[in-house]
């Protein structure tokens, strides 16, 4: 807050005028620096409607540093003239004066002085007139007094050319009275205090207005990771649909549960070193349900359960190989096998969302590990129409209502369907998941009853999250290279909006 | 998923109809194919090698079509067209026939010797008589073999195909195996003879063939096929001989497939002959060939086996969720290349599976084809009546609840990789790899995937390092699984759910991390105390700064550590400030 005395002085000046007043004139009137008046205007503006002020800019002539010196001490030529005694001065001595060079040539062209080159003892300078009038100094002094208007354009420009004058732009305020104009200042309070509440003094006080344009102070808090926020939502959706969570906390799996139990043949390319991470320690799994293993071996190598089988030499050594699971379907297989061991079959709906691993080439959208979302329903008499119906319900909860299905191939589901949704932004159908009915060659060896169908679908957690949060490079989302600012700033996740 | 590249105009000519790109895409979608890309040789070249190289290349429009991995019958233009024409009911599926040589001649014979047993014991063969090649047919024939090699043949490990101009060779043929030094012939497209040993080193630098060398490289004997005059037909699975190579003028083709998997060899041979017998004088007939095994057994190929399955209309209707008459179902299946007839007995349908549909191995495959022909998107979507009550996995429920409260306590959640380098979990934490109980990966492509993590701490420290520009203090946590070897499990390893948090600032902030422990215990309803509660005791752990580490006990059981990290750990993770951390097992609180 500027000095109250200055504020009141400004207000008294303003009171006297009819329209408004320029802040520069106020500065001149009160004999203070213009910047102080600018400060006062701002302080008064903060008090509410006491004054109103409009910024304007005007041009003004000002003396340069050299100009000031001349206004004070006289022009160079005058100084040269005054330095010359009646008997003259050697030129070289004159040139040693600070104003010597410029002053000499100007005084010469004004014909105030003459040079006698032939003088004995070297060239010597003599006055040619008795008195002079220092017009340059006079003009500059006029400008200094704020009377530059008295000079003609030509004169000002000449002084400007000599770098004695310069034209500057001045920002000033045009000040007028405000709706609650008064010449006395009431100090404004910044904040309400407990004392004011207790004494009731708040009623008489004026409060400084808040700047609602500014941002607030960020709360001191932690943040959940966006991918995990999306995971929570998917979990919620499955729970709303009555699905029970599967125990997927086993990243290491045997080839048996990951592939063989799913009727995926041992020469299948997915079982290649290029696609799957195999484990060197502990390299092999040792315990299997033995009779089930025999049935799996049989259905692969000879067929059975209405199947031709793959007719190849099935090897336990391949099935024993440990790996990092390539899909959570390995867990679904374990759960369905467990279900088949129940005395009496009961319908189930299972889900899981957890990490899976692929030894693939990495790029902006693929990592060696990602989260798979999986849903499984087992019951008597489930149809392909049921699978589509449940997918429709599931995707509706994600805000996706336009679905269509494309026939696809998957070794352990038949029929297999790729799920496409219409993307309004891209104006085309995009793949959003995979689905199918588990093959009898997978289910029957487990011991599930003949009439039981198991429908299932899966999708990745990362892809919908990247779309949701507008992330193009998966490394900015998953892993240690995450941008924490992105984590701090990410909004809550509502998948259906 | 294999991608087949076909010339658009040739395709439309064969289909007898022109489509717009959108119409054809729609047809593919319905049939279970995917029109992946519309391009041209010129476009591909200019994308891969620059505009200069593409100068003058063909700009004939190519369709790249993704084909399901089990549909070997759709891997060439001929098969695709036949499949789509039958689907559109413009063509009746042809019947493939094996025939004896004309005029009562002897069939071609391939004799397998016992030396092949150790390297590649199986072989099958057939003859395409009086075939007419054109440039396009010839290219498609070569391309189909390549596609089969990549797919059903599993990059020639299971099966390798050799095709020969029969008029340049004379049977009977001998399939044997010999030491590489004893094999000598002029291989395809070479100008001189090489021994097999020389060939293996010649092809080391061949961008295409070098991928197959490993299949026999370390075998003492290499597979080799000779004709009756000692001319080399091929050295499977690497290369054919130059002598018998086929050309546009070839009229009679001898096809041999050698294999380690006989079933796949039969399928491969069936595919080649069914696809290209179309161009024989008598279309869709294939001349038989005999294969004699070392034990004297004689087999006649190609099998071209047709199989009949009988299933009920009710089965199809119930599994798909439709209500069609048996006649209509039979018609749907016939459109899928599965010639079907109503048997007249109840609602039974007799379905004939042709040799081209080796993917049909169960009634469920037939059911799927009925659903595809009906149109997946014409099936009424209905909600299953399955009534179940949802349950959360207790471990995940606890994790979800704790995550919320850790964030509320001012810590930000990180999400780090489950795989990392040995260095991350050992050297950088000042531990010995042998004491980590880590699970090791045998085939990592880079050091980032050497082991499954045994601690969440390295991931959090790497997250700090990647975010050093962020204002201090940095407070991070993660609740997730680590993996430890455990002999009591069937696979010898188990996951362990852990909670880890770090505080990174100009001062170590042990009290902050200690306070977080107190808060977590409060949330878990465990009171401070020695026996029934939790307490911490000074401990030595090489990851932590000496004298600044404590072990955490809950109900007398050790659950983890907290403390100020060792300065070496901090600098090994490229950090510069003091850091305190807590790492506990949350499974005891279930």
């Amino acid at each position: 807050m500027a000095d109250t005395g200055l504020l009141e002085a400004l207000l008294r000046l303003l009171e006297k005028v009819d329209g408004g007043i320029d802040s520069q004139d106020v500065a001149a009137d009160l004999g203070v620096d213009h910047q102080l008046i600018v400060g006062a205007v701002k302080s008064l503006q903060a008090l509410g409607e006491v004054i109103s002020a409009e910024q304007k800019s005007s041009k003004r002539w000002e003396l340069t540093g050299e100009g000031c010196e001349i206004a004070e001490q006289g022009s160079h030529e005058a100084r040269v003239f005054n330095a010359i005694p009646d008997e003259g001065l050697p030129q070289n001595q004159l040139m040693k004066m600070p104003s010597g060079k410029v002053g000499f040539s100007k005084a010469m062209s004004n014909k105030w002085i003459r040079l006698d080159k032939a003088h004995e003892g070297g060239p010597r300078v003599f006055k040619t007139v008795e008195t002079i009038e220092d017009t340059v100094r006079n003009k500059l002094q006029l400008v200094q007094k704020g009377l530059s208007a008295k000079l003609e354009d030509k004169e000002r420009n000449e002084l400007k050319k000599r770098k004695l004058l310069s034209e500057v732009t001045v920002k000033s305020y045009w000040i007028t009275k405000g709706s609650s104009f008064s010449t006395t200042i009431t100090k404004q309070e910044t904040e309400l205090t407990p004392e004011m509440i207790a004494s009731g003094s708040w009623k008489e006080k004026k409060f400084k207005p808040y700047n609602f344009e500014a941002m607030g102070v960020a709360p001191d808090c932690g943040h959940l990771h966006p991918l995990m926020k999306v995971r929570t939502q998917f979990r919620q959706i499955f729970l709303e649909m009555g699905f029970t969570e599967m125990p997927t906390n086993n990243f290491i799996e045997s080839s048996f549960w990951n592939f063989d139990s799913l009727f995926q043949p041992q020469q299948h390319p997915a079982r290649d070193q290029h696609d799957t991470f195999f484990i060197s320690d502990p390299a092999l799994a040792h315990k299997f349900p033995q009779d089930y293993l025999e049935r799996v071996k049989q259905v692969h190598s000879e067929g059975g359960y209405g199947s031709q089988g793959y007719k190849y030499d099935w090897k336990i050594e391949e099935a024993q190989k440990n790996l990092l699971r390539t899909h959570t379907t390995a867990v679904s297989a374990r759960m369905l096998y467990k279900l088949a061991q129940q005395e009496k079959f009961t319908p189930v709906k299972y889900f899981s969302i957890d990490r899976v691993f692929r030894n693939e080439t990495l790029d902006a959208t693929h990592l060696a590990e990602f989260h798979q979302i999986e849903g499984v329903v087992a019951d008597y008499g489930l149809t392909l129409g049921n699978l589509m119906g449940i997918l429709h319900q599931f995707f509706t909860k994600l805000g996706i209502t336009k679905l269509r299905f494309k026939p696809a191939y998957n070794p352990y589901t038949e029929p297999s369907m790729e799920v496409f949704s219409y993307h309004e932004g891209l104006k085309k159908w995009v793949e959003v998941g995979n689905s199918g009915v588990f093959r009898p060659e997978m289910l029957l060896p487990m011991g599930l009853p003949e009439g039981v169908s198991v429908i299932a679908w899966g999708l990745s957690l990362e892809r919908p999250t990247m779309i949701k949060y507008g992330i193009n490079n998966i490394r900015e989302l998953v892993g240690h290279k995450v941008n924490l600012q992105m984590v701090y700033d990410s909004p809550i996740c509502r998948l259906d909006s | 998923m294999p991608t087949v590249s076909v010339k658009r105009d040739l395709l439309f000519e064969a289909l007898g109809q022109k489509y717009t790109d959108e119409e054809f895409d729609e047809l593919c979608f319905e049939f279970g194919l995917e029109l992946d890309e519309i391009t041209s040789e010129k476009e591909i070249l200019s994308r891969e090698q620059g505009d200069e190289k593409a100068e003058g290349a063909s700009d004939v429009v190519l369709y790249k079509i993704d084909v399901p991995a089990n549909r070997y019958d759709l891997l060439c233009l001929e098969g695709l067209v036949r499949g789509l024409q039958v689907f559109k009911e413009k063509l009746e599926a042809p019947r493939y026939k094996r025939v004896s040589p004309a005029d009562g001649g002897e069939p071609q014979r391939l004799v397998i010797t016992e030396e092949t047993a150790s390297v590649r014991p199986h072989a099958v063969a057939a003859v395409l008589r009086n075939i007419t090649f054109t440039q396009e047919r010839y290219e498609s024939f070569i391309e189909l073999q390549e596609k089969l090699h990549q797919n059903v043949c599993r990059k020639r490990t299971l099966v390798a195909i050799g095709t020969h101009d029969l008029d340049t060779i004379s049977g009977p043929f001998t399939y044997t195996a010999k030491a590489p030094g004893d094999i000598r012939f002029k291989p395809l497209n070479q100008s001189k003879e090489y021994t097999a040993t020389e060939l293996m080193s010649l092809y080391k630098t061949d961008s295409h063939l070098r991928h197959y060398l490993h299949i026999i490289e370390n075998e003492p004997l290499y597979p080799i096929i000779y004709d009756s005059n000692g001319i080399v037909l091929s050295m499977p699975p690497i290369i054919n001989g130059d002598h018998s190579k086929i050309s546009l003028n070839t009229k009679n083709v001898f096809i041999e497939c050698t294999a380690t998997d006989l079933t796949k060899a039969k399928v491969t041979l069936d595919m080649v002959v069914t696809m290209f017998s179309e161009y024989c004088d008598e279309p869709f007939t294939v001349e038989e060939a005999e294969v004699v095994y070392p034990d004297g057994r004689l087999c006649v190929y190609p099998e071209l086996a047709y199989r009949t399955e009988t299933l009920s209309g009710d089965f199809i209707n119930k599994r798909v969720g439709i209500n069609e008459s048996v006649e209509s179902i039979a018609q749907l299946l016939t459109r899928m290349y599965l010639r079907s007839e109503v048997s007249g007995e109840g609602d039974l349908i007799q379905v004939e599976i042709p040799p081209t549909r080796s993917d049909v191995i169960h009634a469920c495959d037939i059911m799927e084809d009925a659903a595809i022909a009906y149109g997946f998107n014409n099936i009424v979507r209905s909600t299953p009546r399955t009534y179940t009550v949802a349950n959360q996995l207790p471990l995940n429920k606890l994790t979800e609840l704790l995550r919320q409260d850790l964030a509320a306590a001012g810590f930000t959640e990180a999400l780090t990789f489950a795989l990392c380098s040995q260095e991350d979990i050992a050297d950088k934490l000042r531990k010995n790899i042998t004491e980590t109980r880590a699970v090791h990966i045998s085939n990592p492509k880079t050091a980032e995937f050497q082991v499954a993590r045994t601690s969440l701490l390295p991931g959090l420290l790497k997250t700090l390092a990647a975010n050093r520009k962020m204002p201090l203090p940095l407070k991070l946590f993660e609740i997730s699984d680590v993996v430890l070897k455990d002999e009591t499990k069937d696979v010898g390893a188990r996951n362990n759910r852990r909670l880890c948090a770090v505080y990174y600032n100009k001062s170590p902030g042990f009290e902050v991390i200690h306070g977080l422990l107190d808060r977590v215990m409060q949330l878990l309803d465990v009171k401070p105390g020695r026996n029934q509660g939790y307490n911490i005791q000074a401990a030595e752990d090489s990851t932590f700064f000496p004298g600044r580490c404590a072990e955490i006990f809950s109900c007398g059981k050790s659950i983890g550590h907290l403390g100020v990290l060792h300065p070496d750990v901090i600098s090994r993770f490229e950090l510069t400030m003091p850091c305190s951390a807590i790492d506990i097992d949350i499974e005891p609180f279930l």
Side-chain angles (χ1 to χ4, degrees), chain A residues 223 235 242 245 267 273 276 278 280-281 305 311 322 349 355 359 369 379 383 405 414 416 439 479, chain B residues 154 263 318 361-362 365 368 377 386 388 391-393 396 413 415-416 418 440 442-443 445 485 491:
Chain A
H223 309 265
R235 233 178 139 255
E245 197 167 22
Q267 320 92 330
Q273 297 274 332
T276 300
F278 286 92
S280 57
D281 180 23
Y305 308 98
K311 300 195 172 83
N322 275 335
K349 294 199 288 224
R355 294 181 198 238
N359 194 9
E369 52 187 280
D379 200 354
T383 67
F405 302 91
E414 189 80 12
S416 309
R439 293 190 71 98
Chain B
R154 299 277 179 267
T263 312
K318 283 221 169 111
I361 56 174
H362 192 278
D365 298 306
E368 178 183 61
N377 296 296
T386 311
T388 52
N391 286 305
Q392 303 185 48
L393 187 72
N396 290 357
E413 187 175 32
L415 175 67
T416 65
H440 291 255
S442 66
N443 56 334
K445 282 182 187 145
K485 280 202 281 189
V491 297

Side-chain angles (χ1 to χ4, degrees), chain A residues 137-153:
Chain A
R137 180 186 192 178
N138 294 347
K139 285 174 196 165
L140 291 177
Q141 279 174 339
L142 277 176
V143 174
Q144 203 169 30
K145 285 179 193 143
L147 301 172
S148 62
K150 290 196 174 170
L151 298 181
E152 283 173 26
D153 280 353

Side-chain angles (χ1 to χ4, degrees), chain B residues 303-318:
Chain B
E303 286 197 340
L304 294 180
Y306 282 80
R307 179 175 99 243
T308 303
E309 297 262 2
T310 305
L311 41 82
S312 74
D314 184 56
F315 166 81
I316 303 270
N317 278 325
K318 283 221 169 111

